[in-house]
Amino acid sequence: MEVTLVDQKNCVTTNCDDKGKRMEFNIRPLVVPISELTSVLLTEYQLPEKYSKITFPRYNVPYKNIITATNVLDGFNKVHKDTFLTSTATAIKKVYNDFKSQLPQGINLTVLENSKAKIEATVEMYKESVNIQYVWDWIFDITETYNEIITFQEVNPSLCCVAEGLFPFHVVLGGNSADKTVYRTPFIKTLNGVEEENTKRKELTLLFEKLAAIISSFEIPKTNAIKVTPSSIGKLALTEKAIPFLL
């Protein structure tokens, strides 16, 4: 966008006071060859952070012939293998550290810094009992909550005040190949007002608080029985699913 500063006509019928200046804009399409000079002429945009969703293991895949009750319980053990827990905890720590500055002060989310230690302690408590099947569901809930945060980030890439430097007076259309897409001005969604921004920030905060609560508060009751289990199941986000209710 070509910007021109034009002097306003000072003298009018009543006086010759300085009327200041006005800005005129013209859109000029330009073709710039992609070469070693491109980085000097154009801004190389930082692409949004991409997070990979955690894929939860499937029970008894690859298939094994299950005959005894011990075989059934053994099938739950792969979910707490060290490699899976390490990758899960690393992903949780990264997304938490990346979003920490956007979360309000005063909430306790320190468990997200080292969730593996808490998960391993819980696994150790229940791995030799029939309750290991509930640990499987618990770790599944952890991964589902993490995946909700990732989905939220994809839908809301910007929660506040995007850097002014990302919006010069030009739009770069970039090239066709993947290595040239950094010279293509990205679409950055901004929120329409403070109220909408605050609402989205609360949603994000709630997701992180939920993830920390799930990791920290898992316990299998010894006396209370689950009386009500609502029926909302299937391919839904964890937020939309019901949870067991103790009476």
Side-chain angles (χ1 to χ4, degrees):
M1 185 173 289
E2 183 181 79
V3 185
T4 306
L5 202 58
V6 181
D7 291 327
Q8 294 278 53
K9 181 180 178 181
N10 287 339
C11 290
V12 293
T13 305
T14 55
N15 61 64
C16 288
D17 293 342
D18 187 358
K19 301 298 186 297
K21 300 177 183 294
R22 72 176 188 274
M23 297 180 76
E24 292 186 352
F25 300 92
N26 250 326
I27 296 177
R28 302 288 190 187
L30 300 174
V31 178
V32 180
I34 295 178
S35 66
E36 62 274 6
L37 295 178
T38 308
S39 59
V40 178
L41 297 173
L42 303 176
T43 300
E44 189 170 341
Y45 290 91
Q46 183 178 359
L47 298 178
E49 181 73 41
K50 292 291 185 181
Y51 302 94
S52 298
K53 291 187 176 182
I54 298 175
T55 302
F56 193 77
R58 295 181 62 187
Y59 182 81
N60 199 32
V61 175
Y63 171 79
K64 293 181 180 179
N65 189 21
I66 296 177
I67 300 175
T68 67
T70 302
N71 295 149
V72 173
L73 295 178
D74 287 343
F76 292 106
N77 289 329
K78 65 180 177 181
V79 77
H80 57 77
K81 297 296 184 183
D82 184 72
T83 52
F84 181 73
L85 293 186
T86 299
S87 62
T88 299
T90 301
I92 290 172
K93 180 178 180 179
K94 175 172 174 49
V95 75
Y96 169 61
N97 286 333
D98 288 349
F99 280 82
K100 187 187 296 186
S101 61
Q102 299 185 34
L103 301 176
Q105 301 294 322
I107 56 176
N108 184 13
L109 301 176
T110 54
V111 69
L112 303 182
E113 293 277 6
N114 185 18
S115 56
K116 184 181 178 183
K118 179 62 178 177
I119 296 173
E120 285 183 327
T122 304
V123 168
E124 188 66 27
M125 186 182 304
Y126 297 111
K127 69 178 183 181
E128 301 298 336
S129 69
V130 295
N131 291 325
I132 190 62
Q133 58 192 304
Y134 302 117
V135 174
W136 171 284
D137 291 333
W138 171 59
I139 297 177
F140 174 74
D141 288 348
I142 292 174
T143 61
E144 284 295 279
T145 306
Y146 169 85
N147 289 340
E148 274 195 78
I149 293 174
I150 301 311
T151 301
F152 183 92
Q153 189 271 343
E154 292 174 352
V155 176
N156 304 280
S158 174
L159 283 178
C160 177
C161 313
V162 180
E164 184 178 342
L166 292 178
F167 299 94
F169 286 112
H170 64 260
V171 174
V172 185
L173 298 183
N176 295 321
S177 60
D179 61 324
K180 297 171 184 173
T181 54
V182 288
Y183 295 112
R184 187 177 184 90
T185 304
F187 171 74
I188 302 176
K189 180 181 178 181
T190 57
L191 302 177
N192 295 325
V194 175
E195 182 177 350
E196 183 182 355
E197 178 185 319
N198 289 337
T199 300
K200 290 298 182 182
R201 194 179 299 280
K202 288 178 181 178
E203 289 180 26
L204 178 65
T205 302
L206 182 61
L207 287 174
F208 275 100
E209 287 182 313
K210 179 168 70 172
L211 179 58
I214 291 174
I215 294 173
S216 302
S217 60
F218 178 77
E219 181 182 359
I220 298 176
K222 296 180 179 179
T223 55
N224 295 334
I226 295 176
K227 302 295 185 181
V228 179
T229 303
S231 59
S232 181
I233 59 175
K235 295 186 66 175
L236 302 170
L238 186 63
T239 299
E240 300 176 22
K241 293 181 181 179
I243 60 174
F245 179 71
L246 298 178
L247 293 178

